[in-house]
mmCIF file of all heavy atoms in Angstrom:
data_model
loop_
_atom_site.group_PDB
_atom_site.id
_atom_site.type_symbol
_atom_site.label_atom_id
_atom_site.label_comp_id
_atom_site.label_asym_id
_atom_site.label_seq_id
_atom_site.Cartn_x
_atom_site.Cartn_y
_atom_site.Cartn_z
ATOM 1 N N TYR A 1 0.831 -1.207 0.000
ATOM 2 C CA TYR A 1 0.000 0.000 0.000
ATOM 3 C C TYR A 1 0.868 1.260 0.000
ATOM 4 O O TYR A 1 0.650 2.176 -0.802
ATOM 5 C CB TYR A 1 -0.930 -0.017 1.210
ATOM 6 C CG TYR A 1 -1.623 1.301 1.488
ATOM 7 C CD1 TYR A 1 -2.617 1.786 0.646
ATOM 8 C CD2 TYR A 1 -1.254 2.062 2.592
ATOM 9 C CE1 TYR A 1 -3.246 3.001 0.907
ATOM 10 C CE2 TYR A 1 -1.874 3.272 2.859
ATOM 11 C CZ TYR A 1 -2.869 3.739 2.013
ATOM 12 O OH TYR A 1 -3.476 4.944 2.271
ATOM 13 N N TYR A 2 1.858 1.310 0.901
ATOM 14 C CA TYR A 2 2.703 2.502 0.970
ATOM 15 C C TYR A 2 3.609 2.617 -0.257
ATOM 16 O O TYR A 2 3.880 3.716 -0.738
ATOM 17 C CB TYR A 2 3.516 2.510 2.257
ATOM 18 C CG TYR A 2 2.651 2.748 3.471
ATOM 19 C CD1 TYR A 2 2.522 1.787 4.462
ATOM 20 C CD2 TYR A 2 1.946 3.937 3.609
ATOM 21 C CE1 TYR A 2 1.698 1.995 5.556
ATOM 22 C CE2 TYR A 2 1.119 4.158 4.704
ATOM 23 C CZ TYR A 2 1.000 3.181 5.668
ATOM 24 O OH TYR A 2 0.175 3.402 6.746
ATOM 25 N N LEU A 3 4.060 1.479 -0.778
ATOM 26 C CA LEU A 3 4.836 1.509 -2.011
ATOM 27 C C LEU A 3 3.994 2.080 -3.148
ATOM 28 O O LEU A 3 4.464 2.942 -3.914
ATOM 29 C CB LEU A 3 5.307 0.093 -2.354
ATOM 30 C CG LEU A 3 6.215 -0.031 -3.590
ATOM 31 C CD1 LEU A 3 7.620 0.496 -3.278
ATOM 32 C CD2 LEU A 3 6.292 -1.487 -4.060
ATOM 33 N N ALA A 4 2.742 1.636 -3.259
ATOM 34 C CA ALA A 4 1.849 2.120 -4.309
ATOM 35 C C ALA A 4 1.559 3.609 -4.149
ATOM 36 O O ALA A 4 1.489 4.349 -5.135
ATOM 37 C CB ALA A 4 0.549 1.315 -4.298
ATOM 38 N N ARG A 5 1.373 4.060 -2.906
ATOM 39 C CA ARG A 5 1.123 5.482 -2.681
ATOM 40 C C ARG A 5 2.294 6.332 -3.152
ATOM 41 O O ARG A 5 2.108 7.411 -3.730
ATOM 42 C CB ARG A 5 0.852 5.743 -1.192
ATOM 43 C CG ARG A 5 -0.592 5.493 -0.798
ATOM 44 C CD ARG A 5 -0.914 5.957 0.570
ATOM 45 N NE ARG A 5 -0.663 7.381 0.814
ATOM 46 C CZ ARG A 5 -0.895 7.973 1.982
ATOM 47 N NH1 ARG A 5 -1.404 7.263 3.003
ATOM 48 N NH2 ARG A 5 -0.651 9.249 2.141
ATOM 49 N N MET A 6 3.507 5.859 -2.915
ATOM 50 C CA MET A 6 4.676 6.625 -3.324
ATOM 51 C C MET A 6 4.845 6.599 -4.840
ATOM 52 O O MET A 6 5.208 7.606 -5.446
ATOM 53 C CB MET A 6 5.926 6.109 -2.610
ATOM 54 C CG MET A 6 5.855 6.285 -1.098
ATOM 55 S SD MET A 6 7.358 5.850 -0.205
ATOM 56 C CE MET A 6 8.318 7.363 -0.401
ATOM 57 N N PHE A 7 4.545 5.469 -5.468
ATOM 58 C CA PHE A 7 4.523 5.425 -6.933
ATOM 59 C C PHE A 7 3.503 6.414 -7.476
ATOM 60 O O PHE A 7 3.770 7.182 -8.403
ATOM 61 C CB PHE A 7 4.179 4.018 -7.427
ATOM 62 C CG PHE A 7 5.323 3.051 -7.456
ATOM 63 C CD1 PHE A 7 5.136 1.715 -7.107
ATOM 64 C CD2 PHE A 7 6.591 3.457 -7.850
ATOM 65 C CE1 PHE A 7 6.189 0.816 -7.140
ATOM 66 C CE2 PHE A 7 7.651 2.548 -7.879
ATOM 67 C CZ PHE A 7 7.438 1.230 -7.527
ATOM 68 N N ASP A 8 2.304 6.369 -6.893
ATOM 69 C CA ASP A 8 1.195 7.211 -7.346
ATOM 70 C C ASP A 8 1.509 8.694 -7.203
ATOM 71 O O ASP A 8 1.070 9.515 -7.999
ATOM 72 C CB ASP A 8 -0.071 6.849 -6.560
ATOM 73 C CG ASP A 8 -1.312 7.539 -7.095
ATOM 74 O OD1 ASP A 8 -1.519 7.511 -8.320
ATOM 75 O OD2 ASP A 8 -2.081 8.094 -6.292
ATOM 76 N N ALA A 9 2.274 9.036 -6.176
ATOM 77 C CA ALA A 9 2.617 10.433 -5.919
ATOM 78 C C ALA A 9 3.800 10.919 -6.760
ATOM 79 O O ALA A 9 4.152 12.092 -6.705
ATOM 80 C CB ALA A 9 2.920 10.634 -4.444
ATOM 81 N N GLY A 10 4.410 10.018 -7.531
ATOM 82 C CA GLY A 10 5.500 10.433 -8.403
ATOM 83 C C GLY A 10 6.880 10.302 -7.805
ATOM 84 O O GLY A 10 7.839 10.927 -8.286
ATOM 85 N N GLU A 11 7.035 9.488 -6.742
ATOM 86 C CA GLU A 11 8.351 9.276 -6.150
ATOM 87 C C GLU A 11 9.287 8.619 -7.172
ATOM 88 O O GLU A 11 8.863 7.836 -8.023
ATOM 89 C CB GLU A 11 8.223 8.393 -4.910
ATOM 90 C CG GLU A 11 9.540 8.132 -4.171
ATOM 91 C CD GLU A 11 10.196 9.421 -3.705
ATOM 92 O OE1 GLU A 11 9.751 10.006 -2.713
ATOM 93 O OE2 GLU A 11 11.172 9.818 -4.365
ATOM 94 N N ASP A 12 10.570 8.931 -7.083
ATOM 95 C CA ASP A 12 11.579 8.326 -7.936
ATOM 96 C C ASP A 12 11.676 6.827 -7.609
ATOM 97 O O ASP A 12 12.075 6.458 -6.499
ATOM 98 C CB ASP A 12 12.925 9.012 -7.709
ATOM 99 C CG ASP A 12 14.055 8.406 -8.538
ATOM 100 O OD1 ASP A 12 13.778 7.543 -9.408
ATOM 101 O OD2 ASP A 12 15.236 8.785 -8.324
ATOM 102 N N PRO A 13 11.336 5.932 -8.541
ATOM 103 C CA PRO A 13 11.380 4.501 -8.240
ATOM 104 C C PRO A 13 12.759 4.000 -7.834
ATOM 105 O O PRO A 13 12.869 3.057 -7.045
ATOM 106 C CB PRO A 13 10.912 3.850 -9.552
ATOM 107 C CG PRO A 13 10.062 4.897 -10.207
ATOM 108 C CD PRO A 13 10.756 6.195 -9.875
ATOM 109 N N LEU A 14 13.814 4.619 -8.362
ATOM 110 C CA LEU A 14 15.152 4.181 -7.976
ATOM 111 C C LEU A 14 15.453 4.535 -6.519
ATOM 112 O O LEU A 14 16.226 3.844 -5.861
ATOM 113 C CB LEU A 14 16.202 4.770 -8.907
ATOM 114 C CG LEU A 14 16.264 4.093 -10.292
ATOM 115 C CD1 LEU A 14 17.261 4.800 -11.195
ATOM 116 C CD2 LEU A 14 16.629 2.611 -10.160
ATOM 117 N N PHE A 15 14.860 5.624 -6.017
ATOM 118 C CA PHE A 15 14.972 5.913 -4.581
ATOM 119 C C PHE A 15 14.347 4.771 -3.782
ATOM 120 O O PHE A 15 14.911 4.303 -2.788
ATOM 121 C CB PHE A 15 14.276 7.236 -4.248
ATOM 122 C CG PHE A 15 14.051 7.443 -2.767
ATOM 123 C CD1 PHE A 15 15.080 7.843 -1.940
ATOM 124 C CD2 PHE A 15 12.807 7.206 -2.209
ATOM 125 C CE1 PHE A 15 14.873 8.009 -0.567
ATOM 126 C CE2 PHE A 15 12.586 7.387 -0.842
ATOM 127 C CZ PHE A 15 13.629 7.788 -0.031
ATOM 128 N N LEU A 16 13.175 4.313 -4.228
ATOM 129 C CA LEU A 16 12.513 3.208 -3.541
ATOM 130 C C LEU A 16 13.343 1.929 -3.644
ATOM 131 O O LEU A 16 13.434 1.158 -2.693
ATOM 132 C CB LEU A 16 11.118 2.985 -4.143
ATOM 133 C CG LEU A 16 10.125 4.125 -3.889
ATOM 134 C CD1 LEU A 16 8.869 3.940 -4.725
ATOM 135 C CD2 LEU A 16 9.763 4.212 -2.416
ATOM 136 N N GLY A 17 13.955 1.707 -4.829
ATOM 137 C CA GLY A 17 14.820 0.544 -4.990
ATOM 138 C C GLY A 17 15.989 0.572 -4.025
ATOM 139 O O GLY A 17 16.329 -0.449 -3.406
ATOM 140 N N ARG A 18 16.602 1.742 -3.872
ATOM 141 C CA ARG A 18 17.737 1.871 -2.949
ATOM 142 C C ARG A 18 17.297 1.609 -1.507
ATOM 143 O O ARG A 18 18.015 0.977 -0.727
ATOM 144 C CB ARG A 18 18.366 3.258 -3.087
ATOM 145 C CG ARG A 18 19.096 3.476 -4.402
ATOM 146 C CD ARG A 18 19.904 4.745 -4.391
ATOM 147 N NE ARG A 18 19.093 5.939 -4.288
ATOM 148 C CZ ARG A 18 18.589 6.595 -5.351
ATOM 149 N NH1 ARG A 18 18.804 6.149 -6.577
ATOM 150 N NH2 ARG A 18 17.885 7.698 -5.185
ATOM 151 N N ARG A 19 16.095 2.105 -1.143
ATOM 152 C CA ARG A 19 15.612 1.882 0.213
ATOM 153 C C ARG A 19 15.294 0.405 0.473
ATOM 154 O O ARG A 19 15.502 -0.101 1.574
ATOM 155 C CB ARG A 19 14.383 2.749 0.492
ATOM 156 C CG ARG A 19 14.693 4.227 0.640
ATOM 157 C CD ARG A 19 15.740 4.509 1.694
ATOM 158 N NE ARG A 19 15.277 4.137 3.023
ATOM 159 C CZ ARG A 19 14.960 4.981 3.982
ATOM 160 N NH1 ARG A 19 15.062 6.275 3.771
ATOM 161 N NH2 ARG A 19 14.552 4.574 5.172
ATOM 162 N N LEU A 20 14.797 -0.296 -0.540
ATOM 163 C CA LEU A 20 14.550 -1.727 -0.385
ATOM 164 C C LEU A 20 15.863 -2.479 -0.154
ATOM 165 O O LEU A 20 15.918 -3.413 0.655
ATOM 166 C CB LEU A 20 13.823 -2.276 -1.617
ATOM 167 C CG LEU A 20 12.360 -1.834 -1.784
ATOM 168 C CD1 LEU A 20 11.831 -2.251 -3.155
ATOM 169 C CD2 LEU A 20 11.466 -2.398 -0.684
ATOM 170 N N VAL A 21 16.918 -2.084 -0.863
ATOM 171 C CA VAL A 21 18.233 -2.691 -0.640
ATOM 172 C C VAL A 21 18.684 -2.445 0.795
ATOM 173 O O VAL A 21 19.202 -3.347 1.464
ATOM 174 C CB VAL A 21 19.260 -2.137 -1.658
ATOM 175 C CG1 VAL A 21 20.675 -2.582 -1.290
ATOM 176 C CG2 VAL A 21 18.921 -2.598 -3.071
ATOM 177 N N ARG A 22 18.458 -1.231 1.272
ATOM 178 C CA ARG A 22 18.809 -0.901 2.651
ATOM 179 C C ARG A 22 18.023 -1.765 3.651
ATOM 180 O O ARG A 22 18.570 -2.272 4.632
ATOM 181 C CB ARG A 22 18.536 0.589 2.913
ATOM 182 C CG ARG A 22 18.574 1.020 4.377
ATOM 183 C CD ARG A 22 19.979 0.962 4.932
ATOM 184 N NE ARG A 22 20.001 1.078 6.375
ATOM 185 C CZ ARG A 22 20.786 1.872 7.067
ATOM 186 N NH1 ARG A 22 21.629 2.630 6.436
ATOM 187 N NH2 ARG A 22 20.749 1.920 8.378
ATOM 188 N N MET A 23 16.720 -1.935 3.408
ATOM 189 C CA MET A 23 15.904 -2.775 4.291
ATOM 190 C C MET A 23 16.421 -4.203 4.330
ATOM 191 O O MET A 23 16.441 -4.840 5.384
ATOM 192 C CB MET A 23 14.449 -2.765 3.828
ATOM 193 C CG MET A 23 13.749 -1.430 3.929
ATOM 194 S SD MET A 23 12.108 -1.527 3.158
ATOM 195 C CE MET A 23 11.847 0.187 2.703
ATOM 196 N N ALA A 24 16.818 -4.713 3.161
ATOM 197 C CA ALA A 24 17.326 -6.084 3.093
ATOM 198 C C ALA A 24 18.563 -6.248 3.960
ATOM 199 O O ALA A 24 18.724 -7.259 4.659
ATOM 200 C CB ALA A 24 17.637 -6.454 1.640
ATOM 201 N N ALA A 25 19.441 -5.252 3.946
ATOM 202 C CA ALA A 25 20.673 -5.325 4.725
ATOM 203 C C ALA A 25 20.426 -5.076 6.211
ATOM 204 O O ALA A 25 21.005 -5.747 7.069
ATOM 205 C CB ALA A 25 21.690 -4.321 4.181
ATOM 206 N N GLU A 26 19.540 -4.126 6.515
ATOM 207 C CA GLU A 26 19.352 -3.715 7.907
ATOM 208 C C GLU A 26 18.411 -4.624 8.691
ATOM 209 O O GLU A 26 18.677 -4.925 9.857
ATOM 210 C CB GLU A 26 18.806 -2.282 7.953
ATOM 211 C CG GLU A 26 18.573 -1.744 9.354
ATOM 212 C CD GLU A 26 18.054 -0.320 9.364
ATOM 213 O OE1 GLU A 26 18.296 0.418 8.395
ATOM 214 O OE2 GLU A 26 17.380 0.060 10.352
ATOM 215 N N ASP A 27 17.309 -5.036 8.071
ATOM 216 C CA ASP A 27 16.245 -5.696 8.825
ATOM 217 C C ASP A 27 16.120 -7.189 8.572
ATOM 218 O O ASP A 27 15.400 -7.885 9.287
ATOM 219 C CB ASP A 27 14.901 -5.029 8.529
ATOM 220 C CG ASP A 27 14.844 -3.615 9.068
ATOM 221 O OD1 ASP A 27 14.940 -3.449 10.283
ATOM 222 O OD2 ASP A 27 14.733 -2.675 8.262
ATOM 223 N N ILE A 28 16.766 -7.691 7.534
ATOM 224 C CA ILE A 28 16.702 -9.124 7.224
ATOM 225 C C ILE A 28 18.073 -9.758 7.377
ATOM 226 O O ILE A 28 18.228 -10.775 8.025
ATOM 227 C CB ILE A 28 16.132 -9.339 5.807
ATOM 228 C CG1 ILE A 28 14.690 -8.835 5.785
ATOM 229 C CG2 ILE A 28 16.202 -10.815 5.409
ATOM 230 C CD1 ILE A 28 14.158 -8.519 4.458
ATOM 231 N N GLY A 29 19.063 -9.102 6.793
ATOM 232 C CA GLY A 29 20.437 -9.531 6.997
ATOM 233 C C GLY A 29 20.653 -10.984 6.648
ATOM 234 O O GLY A 29 20.165 -11.498 5.630
ATOM 235 N N LEU A 30 21.342 -11.685 7.517
ATOM 236 C CA LEU A 30 21.689 -13.079 7.267
ATOM 237 C C LEU A 30 20.586 -14.061 7.654
ATOM 238 O O LEU A 30 20.756 -15.266 7.474
ATOM 239 C CB LEU A 30 22.980 -13.431 8.006
ATOM 240 C CG LEU A 30 24.236 -12.732 7.468
ATOM 241 C CD1 LEU A 30 25.464 -13.166 8.261
ATOM 242 C CD2 LEU A 30 24.435 -13.004 5.992
ATOM 243 N N ALA A 31 19.454 -13.542 8.149
ATOM 244 C CA ALA A 31 18.306 -14.436 8.350
ATOM 245 C C ALA A 31 17.841 -15.000 7.007
ATOM 246 O O ALA A 31 17.304 -16.105 6.936
ATOM 247 C CB ALA A 31 17.167 -13.711 9.050
ATOM 248 N N ASP A 32 18.037 -14.231 5.949
ATOM 249 C CA ASP A 32 17.796 -14.685 4.575
ATOM 250 C C ASP A 32 18.798 -13.964 3.683
ATOM 251 O O ASP A 32 18.506 -12.873 3.179
ATOM 252 C CB ASP A 32 16.365 -14.396 4.135
ATOM 253 C CG ASP A 32 16.066 -14.938 2.730
ATOM 254 O OD1 ASP A 32 17.012 -15.418 2.064
ATOM 255 O OD2 ASP A 32 14.899 -14.881 2.299
ATOM 256 N N PRO A 33 19.977 -14.525 3.481
ATOM 257 C CA PRO A 33 21.003 -13.853 2.674
ATOM 258 C C PRO A 33 20.542 -13.545 1.254
ATOM 259 O O PRO A 33 21.083 -12.658 0.595
ATOM 260 C CB PRO A 33 22.164 -14.852 2.666
ATOM 261 C CG PRO A 33 21.922 -15.742 3.847
ATOM 262 C CD PRO A 33 20.435 -15.829 3.985
ATOM 263 N N GLN A 34 19.518 -14.250 0.783
ATOM 264 C CA GLN A 34 19.013 -14.038 -0.565
ATOM 265 C C GLN A 34 18.258 -12.711 -0.686
ATOM 266 O O GLN A 34 18.076 -12.186 -1.788
ATOM 267 C CB GLN A 34 18.096 -15.203 -0.960
ATOM 268 C CG GLN A 34 17.735 -15.298 -2.442
ATOM 269 C CD GLN A 34 18.918 -15.606 -3.328
ATOM 270 O OE1 GLN A 34 19.979 -16.015 -2.842
ATOM 271 N NE2 GLN A 34 18.767 -15.390 -4.616
ATOM 272 N N ALA A 35 17.804 -12.151 0.432
ATOM 273 C CA ALA A 35 16.998 -10.922 0.402
ATOM 274 C C ALA A 35 17.759 -9.776 -0.255
ATOM 275 O O ALA A 35 17.197 -9.013 -1.057
ATOM 276 C CB ALA A 35 16.568 -10.539 1.818
ATOM 277 N N LEU A 36 19.028 -9.621 0.088
ATOM 278 C CA LEU A 36 19.833 -8.548 -0.497
ATOM 279 C C LEU A 36 19.994 -8.761 -2.000
ATOM 280 O O LEU A 36 19.959 -7.795 -2.776
ATOM 281 C CB LEU A 36 21.203 -8.485 0.191
ATOM 282 C CG LEU A 36 22.118 -7.327 -0.211
ATOM 283 C CD1 LEU A 36 21.445 -5.974 0.035
ATOM 284 C CD2 LEU A 36 23.430 -7.392 0.575
ATOM 285 N N VAL A 37 20.138 -10.012 -2.408
ATOM 286 C CA VAL A 37 20.255 -10.340 -3.838
ATOM 287 C C VAL A 37 18.975 -9.957 -4.572
ATOM 288 O O VAL A 37 19.006 -9.340 -5.639
ATOM 289 C CB VAL A 37 20.572 -11.839 -4.026
ATOM 290 C CG1 VAL A 37 20.646 -12.189 -5.512
ATOM 291 C CG2 VAL A 37 21.866 -12.211 -3.314
ATOM 292 N N VAL A 38 17.822 -10.317 -3.996
ATOM 293 C CA VAL A 38 16.526 -10.021 -4.605
ATOM 294 C C VAL A 38 16.304 -8.514 -4.705
ATOM 295 O O VAL A 38 15.888 -7.996 -5.750
ATOM 296 C CB VAL A 38 15.385 -10.684 -3.804
ATOM 297 C CG1 VAL A 38 14.021 -10.183 -4.269
ATOM 298 C CG2 VAL A 38 15.460 -12.198 -3.921
ATOM 299 N N ALA A 39 16.572 -7.781 -3.616
ATOM 300 C CA ALA A 39 16.361 -6.329 -3.607
ATOM 301 C C ALA A 39 17.253 -5.640 -4.630
ATOM 302 O O ALA A 39 16.815 -4.745 -5.371
ATOM 303 C CB ALA A 39 16.614 -5.770 -2.209
ATOM 304 N N ASN A 40 18.509 -6.046 -4.685
ATOM 305 C CA ASN A 40 19.438 -5.441 -5.641
ATOM 306 C C ASN A 40 19.048 -5.774 -7.076
ATOM 307 O O ASN A 40 19.148 -4.921 -7.966
ATOM 308 C CB ASN A 40 20.861 -5.913 -5.345
ATOM 309 C CG ASN A 40 21.904 -4.917 -5.795
ATOM 310 O OD1 ASN A 40 21.856 -3.736 -5.481
ATOM 311 N ND2 ASN A 40 22.852 -5.379 -6.577
ATOM 312 N N ALA A 41 18.592 -7.003 -7.292
ATOM 313 C CA ALA A 41 18.141 -7.402 -8.629
ATOM 314 C C ALA A 41 16.916 -6.599 -9.060
ATOM 315 O O ALA A 41 16.790 -6.215 -10.226
ATOM 316 C CB ALA A 41 17.833 -8.896 -8.648
ATOM 317 N N ALA A 42 16.001 -6.333 -8.125
ATOM 318 C CA ALA A 42 14.806 -5.534 -8.439
ATOM 319 C C ALA A 42 15.185 -4.110 -8.814
ATOM 320 O O ALA A 42 14.636 -3.535 -9.763
ATOM 321 C CB ALA A 42 13.854 -5.529 -7.242
ATOM 322 N N LYS A 43 16.133 -3.545 -8.068
ATOM 323 C CA LYS A 43 16.610 -2.193 -8.398
ATOM 324 C C LYS A 43 17.225 -2.160 -9.794
ATOM 325 O O LYS A 43 16.955 -1.262 -10.600
ATOM 326 C CB LYS A 43 17.612 -1.742 -7.318
ATOM 327 C CG LYS A 43 18.172 -0.344 -7.481
ATOM 328 C CD LYS A 43 19.510 -0.348 -8.143
ATOM 329 C CE LYS A 43 20.564 -1.049 -7.263
ATOM 330 N NZ LYS A 43 21.860 -1.072 -7.969
ATOM 331 N N ASP A 44 18.046 -3.181 -10.113
ATOM 332 C CA ASP A 44 18.665 -3.261 -11.441
ATOM 333 C C ASP A 44 17.617 -3.503 -12.527
ATOM 334 O O ASP A 44 17.728 -2.979 -13.642
ATOM 335 C CB ASP A 44 19.711 -4.378 -11.471
ATOM 336 C CG ASP A 44 20.948 -4.046 -10.664
ATOM 337 O OD1 ASP A 44 21.137 -2.853 -10.336
ATOM 338 O OD2 ASP A 44 21.734 -4.960 -10.345
ATOM 339 N N ALA A 45 16.591 -4.298 -12.211
ATOM 340 C CA ALA A 45 15.527 -4.576 -13.180
ATOM 341 C C ALA A 45 14.777 -3.296 -13.534
ATOM 342 O O ALA A 45 14.460 -3.050 -14.700
ATOM 343 C CB ALA A 45 14.565 -5.625 -12.624
#
């Protein structure tokens, strides 16, 4: 919902991509090492 609101408001999607990468490193970390890979791949996509 909040992601959609920011898209709808015209937020820079690459800013959102960078923040998702940050979330993967800060809040998931090694509990799922694949999370950082997925977030970075989404930003690149």
Side-chain angles (χ1 to χ4, degrees):
Y1 167 70
Y2 290 117
L3 184 74
R5 276 190 58 180
M6 297 186 83
F7 278 142
D8 188 48
E11 182 59 77
D12 178 8
L14 284 176
F15 166 78
L16 293 170
R18 290 190 295 271
R19 288 305 296 251
L20 290 170
V21 171
R22 168 69 193 228
M23 295 173 206
E26 180 179 335
D27 293 297
I28 296 159
L30 292 181
D32 183 353
Q34 193 66 14
L36 186 58
V37 178
V38 170
N40 207 51
K43 182 263 295 178
D44 289 344

